[in-house]
Amino acid sequence: MDTSELRKAVEEVELVDAHAHNIVSLDSNFSFIHAFSEANGEALSFSPNSLSFKRNLRDIAKLYGSEISLQGVEEYRRVSGLQSITSSCFKAARITAILIDDGLTFDKKHDVEWHKNFIPFVGRILRIERLAEEILDEDLPDGSSWTVDSFTTAFVSKLKSVAGEIFGLKSIAAYRSGLEINTNVTNNDAEEGLRQTLIAGKPLRIANKNLIDYIFLRSLEVAQSYDLPMQIHTGFGDKDLDLRLSNPLHLRAVLEDKRYSKSRIVLLHASYPFSREASYLASVYSQVYLDFGLAIPKLSVHGMISSMKELLELAPLNKVMFSTDGYAFPETFYLGAKKSREVVFSVLRDACIDGDLSVPEAVEATKDIFARNAIHFYKISSVNSVINSHSNLSQNLSGDLDIDVSLVRVMWVDGAGQHRCRAVPKKRFNDVVVKNGVGLAFAVMGFSSHMDGPAEGSGLTAVGETRLVPDLSTLRRIPWNKKDEMVLADMCVKPGEAWEYCPRDVLRRASKILKDEFDLEMNAGFENEFILLKMLKREGKEEWVPFDSSPYCSASGFDAASPVLHEVVDSLHSLGIAVEQIHGEAGKGQFEVVLKYTICTKAADNLIFTREVVRAIARKHGLLATFIPKYALDDLGSGSHVHLSLWRNGQNVFMGSGTSSKNGISTLGREFMAGILQHLPSILAFIAPLPNSYDRLQPNTWSGAYLFWGNENKEAPLRASSPPGTLDGLVTNFEMKSFDGSANPYLGLAAILAAGIDGLRRHLPLPEPVDTNPNPETLQRLPASLSESLDALHKDDFLKEFISEKLLTAIKAIRKAEIEHYTKHKDAYKELIHRY
């Protein structure tokens, strides 16, 4: 029988790794020998004598070209560095997507975001027991003791708050009290279990069966209501686990309970040595699916093949999924991928020989097992189009995605906030650009809005070249031109070393300072106002005029623009960008699209993609969309208002609680806001970077013309906000009105972060709010021109730690050039509709 077609399919398919864990630094105290065994302590010393150890060590040494010994491989790892070996392992594994359970507490583990440097798509799986322990390790704000009711409220609230950001839940009940979940556990049972757990002291490790069962069932309810899968550890593991209690047959009570009949459950690790039992469950329960990571590659070759065959004895092929169960070391991902290809080929080839499958059916089964099942089951393709944008996956796995991607746009944002790109053929992108980047003249970061040449005094000239290195985590298929892809780039001196002018790196470094010093993260959500223009011909001349003149939130105006607006929302959804609201604004032809908040670095990326979508979709419909701050001097302007909040360990700590709050804002939040308020005049040079920006920032236009803050005061440049659903008296975020659509969002958010950090460091007091219309006689006017803001920036030195002196010099020179040009050419701002 000719199975060459099957072998080709197995070798070429791009893998979706549906269950893995974080990689650790080379200097982690979790030693490399753990890559080969689940054993610990003295038992680990015997692992080099196992069949899988010897085979896997040879495979790694062959990949690296190193000596075939543990010491030889470890020396190669040390000399090469983590970046190099991780790239080598993932490239050889040909893994396109990974879902990471980050609940394992490794020493010096990298966060989920770090893995995006190597894999086009990385998603998160949330481990429920770890979340419960993190919650209970924190004290309640009022100093009271935890009860089941207060814990349930906090736990369920947290699960719901992240439901849209994760791809599934994970339970390790098998490790704690076993899989025989009591579906009738009572609140009283859980209360007693909680009491006993708390008595043991912190840090908590929940092992009480009643409490574990209670947590499992509450989690399953949330998972079912949000249509999230629940991964469950079954079968073998380290010695913390009682193997007798990890047989998936113990889950019968859960599977039979009608309350959970719509849940979606994944039995991990092939349930080895209970693979036949798992296969049976998947065949008779619609909600049960299987994953064979860990069994491959931890077993002998015979063990891996027999376990895989047992899984397929009864289980439907579209319920079986690949994963590596990779952890700590990139080599574990490589081994899981390599051996899975070999084992699946062997098992499906035998199925063809035995007559269970035809070769074409086996080819389809290969694509299902290695990728399509996970894409559909975890809803990867519907939530984030990164998977769809990967050419091999799109060509090999789904007819819907079988599109020839010909060009990739490598995008950046310059010092004047303008979007720019270089397009390269897909093959060159994969072969050269991914690793080495695209060359770009230094001068480009010194361009102003009126001239594609470096501003005088910027320090940037025709001499020198940076590298645009694509950030593969941002690779997206272009919704309005599905033949192409786009990716955001970092500016580097060389791959891995940021250029000091790189805006994305400036924001990352500012975010890191906030995290390192205060253990805080800043979330951001943008409200994007834009004007739709149509072309008219008057006396033989072409002229762009507003699309319509309908008033604020006009239903008829929305109807008129609905073909454009619907396509905008659909396109953003395909890019994984959540839209919270879209409506008509008060200006002629003006609309606003509101994005869901997220971590500020990602929010900036999302803003760039959103501007691209809006302009492209409008152009597709024969219109021109512009984000220019003030299109018509006699009409309202367009802003890019940003809502900001501070988070720690997944909790909003900007919002007040207990005695540490005033005006519904925490002490941290007040100090952060105070820093921004104090430095706002100079921040304007970043977030309102054009002379035209100040035509928008006028009194009585809801744009913030005076220096103050207020509670739900639309005239305040900093507005404390309490969205629907917020408890009375509390504030969840604050809005900055001054930010506009001509700003580079990375530099703008970095300047805001720097000011906020200054407020936190110096414990600056926040003035009392102004909750009335601002009085010009008692309040300081914010800069009324870019010149005034630039003067303020010259006098302010808070940015030096955050933005290099050279970049700051370039920004000041660009702003000066803008002032000079638009002062001399009063009507030149009208051309900005073609740049913003």
Side-chain angles (χ1 to χ4, degrees):
M1 176 178 287
D2 181 8
T3 57
S4 59
E5 183 185 356
L6 173 60
R7 180 176 291 280
K8 183 173 184 288
V10 170
E11 290 176 350
E12 293 183 354
V13 65
E14 297 279 351
L15 310 182
V16 175
D17 185 352
H19 178 74
H21 306 276
N22 307 65
I23 290 173
V24 302
S25 299
L26 289 184
D27 59 348
S28 170
N29 63 20
F30 191 60
S31 59
F32 180 58
I33 193 173
H34 287 280
F36 302 93
S37 175
E38 290 289 295
N40 283 295
E42 189 176 343
L44 188 60
S45 65
F46 292 92
S47 64
N49 296 293
S50 68
L51 299 180
S52 64
F53 186 106
K54 294 177 182 294
R55 180 194 70 237
N56 289 334
L57 182 64
R58 283 198 309 274
D59 285 343
I60 295 172
K62 182 178 179 181
L63 173 68
Y64 290 160
S66 68
E67 176 188 328
I68 304 177
S69 69
L70 185 60
Q71 294 73 24
V73 170
E74 287 182 315
E75 177 63 13
Y76 181 91
R77 300 178 89 245
R78 185 188 67 77
V79 171
S80 299
L82 184 61
Q83 295 282 123
S84 175
I85 62 173
T86 303
S87 294
S88 297
C89 287
F90 281 133
K91 184 176 180 180
R94 297 198 307 285
I95 296 172
T96 301
I98 294 179
L99 301 183
I100 291 180
D101 159 24
D102 59 355
L104 273 176
T105 53
F106 293 129
D107 175 55
K108 297 181 181 177
K109 73 177 182 181
H110 289 286
D111 60 20
V112 172
E113 288 293 313
W114 179 88
H115 298 74
K116 294 179 179 179
N117 293 310
F118 308 96
I119 298 293
F121 177 86
V122 181
R124 184 186 180 210
I125 300 292
L126 179 63
R127 185 180 293 207
I128 59 175
E129 292 84 4
R130 184 74 194 113
L131 173 63
E133 288 162 350
E134 289 174 351
I135 289 172
L136 292 173
D137 274 334
E138 296 289 329
D139 293 328
L140 284 168
D142 60 4
S144 61
S145 298
W146 285 103
T147 65
V148 162
D149 287 343
S150 61
F151 164 71
T152 303
T153 299
F155 181 70
V156 171
S157 174
K158 179 59 179 175
L159 287 180
K160 290 181 177 180
S161 72
V162 299
E165 303 168 10
I166 61 177
F167 290 82
L169 303 180
K170 159 89 176 283
S171 171
I172 55 166
Y175 269 97
R176 301 300 176 85
S177 55
L179 295 180
E180 196 169 359
I181 306 295
N182 176 12
T183 56
N184 296 312
V185 64
T186 66
N187 276 29
N188 288 339
D189 295 333
E191 192 79 67
E192 176 59 23
L194 175 60
R195 187 187 67 81
Q196 293 179 17
T197 299
L198 294 173
I199 288 173
K202 298 176 182 178
L204 296 175
R205 184 180 186 276
I206 303 174
N208 179 275
K209 183 176 181 344
N210 285 332
L211 186 55
I212 287 289
D213 292 355
Y214 181 85
I215 290 168
F216 181 93
L217 296 175
R218 297 295 80 76
S219 301
L220 196 58
E221 289 168 357
V222 174
Q224 186 169 264
S225 66
Y226 283 87
D227 196 23
L228 286 171
M230 171 76 88
Q231 296 182 346
I232 302 176
H233 181 107
T234 61
F236 75 135
D238 62 45
K239 70 176 186 177
D240 281 350
L241 174 145
D242 186 337
L243 190 61
R244 297 166 299 179
L245 301 178
S246 66
N247 188 327
L249 293 180
H250 287 305
L251 290 167
R252 175 179 168 78
V254 174
L255 301 177
E256 284 289 319
D257 196 312
K258 292 182 179 179
R259 291 173 295 175
Y260 313 114
S261 61
K262 299 299 183 183
S263 62
R264 296 187 294 131
I265 289 172
V266 189
L267 307 181
L268 296 174
H269 312 315
S271 299
Y272 180 85
F274 310 111
S275 302
R276 279 198 170 104
E277 288 87 338
S279 180
Y280 161 73
L281 292 174
S283 72
V284 297
Y285 289 104
S286 63
Q287 65 267 48
V288 174
Y289 293 73
L290 309 177
D291 180 300
F292 55 82
L294 188 64
I296 303 174
K298 285 295 191 288
L299 305 179
S300 69
V301 172
H302 172 77
M304 292 187 292
I305 291 174
S306 61
S307 178
M308 190 71 192
K309 286 187 173 182
E310 287 178 358
L311 284 185
L312 298 186
E313 284 179 357
L314 288 172
L317 290 168
N318 62 351
K319 282 189 164 191
V320 179
M321 290 176 280
F322 157 81
S323 77
T324 62
D325 195 42
Y327 59 92
F329 316 104
E331 294 85 354
T332 59
F333 294 81
Y334 166 68
L335 292 171
K338 181 180 187 297
K339 302 315 295 184
S340 291
R341 290 183 195 272
E342 295 171 5
V343 168
V344 169
F345 172 73
S346 175
V347 171
L348 294 182
R349 179 197 59 199
D350 288 353
C352 293
I353 293 170
D354 293 341
D356 284 331
L357 293 174
S358 67
V359 172
E361 288 172 333
V363 168
E364 291 303 303
T366 296
K367 296 175 183 179
D368 284 341
I369 290 169
F370 280 120
R372 283 196 300 220
N373 290 346
I375 289 173
H376 297 150
F377 182 76
Y378 292 100
K379 301 185 184 299
I380 294 173
S381 58
S382 65
V383 174
N384 194 314
S385 67
V386 175
I387 290 296
N388 299 354
S389 70
H390 194 277
S391 62
N392 286 332
L393 190 68
S394 65
Q395 291 165 6
N396 295 333
L397 298 182
S398 171
D400 298 338
L401 308 176
D402 192 11
I403 298 167
D404 176 28
V405 176
S406 58
L407 294 174
V408 181
R409 302 178 192 180
V410 183
M411 299 171 55
W412 74 98
V413 185
D414 67 18
Q418 298 167 106
H419 299 197
R420 299 178 185 267
C421 79
R422 290 271 184 89
V424 294
K426 179 66 176 181
K427 185 176 188 307
R428 179 171 177 79
F429 179 80
N430 288 333
D431 295 346
V432 178
V433 176
V434 166
K435 181 179 180 181
N436 299 313
V438 175
L440 184 72
F442 283 169
V444 174
M445 269 305 286
F447 288 4
S448 64
S449 69
H450 61 274
M451 184 177 71
D452 285 346
E456 183 179 351
S458 66
L460 295 164
T461 68
V463 179
E465 196 171 70
T466 185
R467 293 284 180 269
L468 294 172
V469 179
D471 175 356
L472 294 181
S473 71
T474 67
L475 186 65
R476 303 287 191 273
R477 187 182 301 285
I478 296 178
W480 61 92
N481 182 8
K482 290 187 166 57
K483 196 175 182 181
D484 287 357
E485 293 172 302
M486 57 184 172
V487 65
L488 297 173
D490 292 318
M491 295 177 169
C492 298
V493 176
K494 58 185 179 181
E497 182 181 338
W499 188 38
E500 59 188 313
Y501 291 84
C502 176
R504 297 182 85 232
D505 188 65
V506 171
L507 179 56
R508 276 195 294 265
R509 285 189 286 107
S511 298
K512 186 176 186 302
I513 292 172
L514 182 69
K515 179 68 173 177
D516 290 348
E517 289 192 25
F518 302 100
D519 192 24
L520 294 172
E521 294 177 328
M522 183 174 80
N523 279 352
F526 284 94
E527 298 177 354
N528 302 276
E529 294 175 334
F530 58 92
I531 293 175
L532 290 177
L533 303 173
K534 62 185 178 182
M535 180 177 282
L536 291 182
K537 286 190 176 181
R538 292 176 178 170
E539 300 176 356
K541 293 183 179 180
E542 294 181 344
E543 181 182 352
W544 290 100
V545 299
F547 171 77
D548 74 347
S549 300
S550 55
Y552 175 72
C553 283
S554 164
S556 62
F558 189 92
D559 279 339
S562 63
V564 175
L565 302 180
H566 274 291
E567 193 166 349
V568 164
V569 174
D570 288 345
S571 296
L572 291 174
H573 180 75
S574 77
L575 296 174
I577 299 173
V579 175
E580 291 195 333
Q581 192 176 144
I582 189 165
H583 61 83
E585 266 294 348
K588 293 182 177 67
Q590 190 180 44
F591 295 88
E592 177 179 282
V593 57
V594 180
L595 306 181
K596 180 177 174 58
Y597 68 84
T598 186
I599 188 74
C600 64
T601 47
K602 184 177 180 182
D605 290 344
N606 287 349
L607 180 61
I608 300 306
F609 285 135
T610 299
R611 292 174 182 169
E612 289 293 305
V613 164
V614 170
R615 289 176 65 86
I617 299 304
R619 189 162 50 245
K620 179 179 174 181
H621 288 265
L623 303 172
L624 189 151
T626 180
F627 294 88
I628 181 176
K630 193 79 165 179
Y631 167 72
L633 300 184
D634 60 351
D635 199 358
L636 294 172
S638 295
S640 189
H641 313 154
V642 61
H643 288 256
L644 303 168
S645 55
L646 296 175
W647 293 70
R648 178 182 288 153
N649 297 326
Q651 299 292 322
N652 186 336
V653 295
F654 179 82
M655 184 165 58
S657 62
T659 58
S660 66
S661 68
K662 184 179 179 182
N663 301 115
I665 307 171
S666 68
T667 300
L668 283 172
R670 292 174 60 80
E671 291 176 355
F672 192 78
M673 274 184 74
I676 294 168
L677 193 64
Q678 180 170 113
H679 296 293
L680 187 55
S682 51
I683 292 174
L684 288 180
F686 291 90
I687 65 176
L690 294 174
N692 181 259
S693 300
Y694 298 81
D695 293 327
R696 178 179 80 92
L697 301 178
Q698 297 296 320
N700 301 312
T701 59
W702 292 14
S703 58
Y706 295 95
L707 187 61
F708 72 98
W709 77 279
N711 290 298
E712 299 295 2
N713 187 339
K714 299 286 187 178
E715 278 293 312
L718 270 65
R719 176 178 72 93
S721 177
S722 302
T726 306
L727 293 176
D728 287 346
L730 294 182
V731 172
T732 65
N733 67 86
F734 67 100
E735 178 187 28
M736 291 191 69
K737 290 280 193 178
S738 313
F739 217 116
D740 71 40
S742 63
N744 181 314
Y746 305 103
L747 297 179
L749 289 173
I752 290 168
L753 264 175
I757 290 170
D758 186 53
L760 291 171
R761 285 173 173 171
R762 296 198 286 143
H763 304 293
L764 293 178
L766 185 66
E768 289 300 310
V770 175
D771 294 331
T772 60
N773 213 46
N775 183 351
E777 295 181 5
T778 59
L779 292 172
Q780 176 185 334
R781 179 72 161 89
L782 279 169
S785 67
L786 181 57
S787 296
E788 292 181 15
S789 180
L790 188 57
D791 287 342
L793 181 59
H794 281 300
K795 296 172 184 175
D796 213 342
D797 63 356
F798 76 103
L799 284 168
K800 288 183 178 178
E801 180 186 349
F802 299 87
I803 299 178
S804 73
E805 187 63 36
K806 289 182 179 179
L807 176 55
L808 207 51
T809 296
I811 294 300
K812 291 174 181 178
I814 294 169
R815 303 298 183 261
K816 181 181 177 184
E818 307 283 25
I819 294 165
E820 292 175 352
H821 178 78
Y822 293 104
T823 299
K824 293 177 183 176
H825 307 281
K826 297 296 185 183
D827 288 338
Y829 76 92
K830 295 178 181 178
E831 295 301 312
L832 291 173
I833 61 173
H834 302 293
R835 289 185 176 255
Y836 300 99

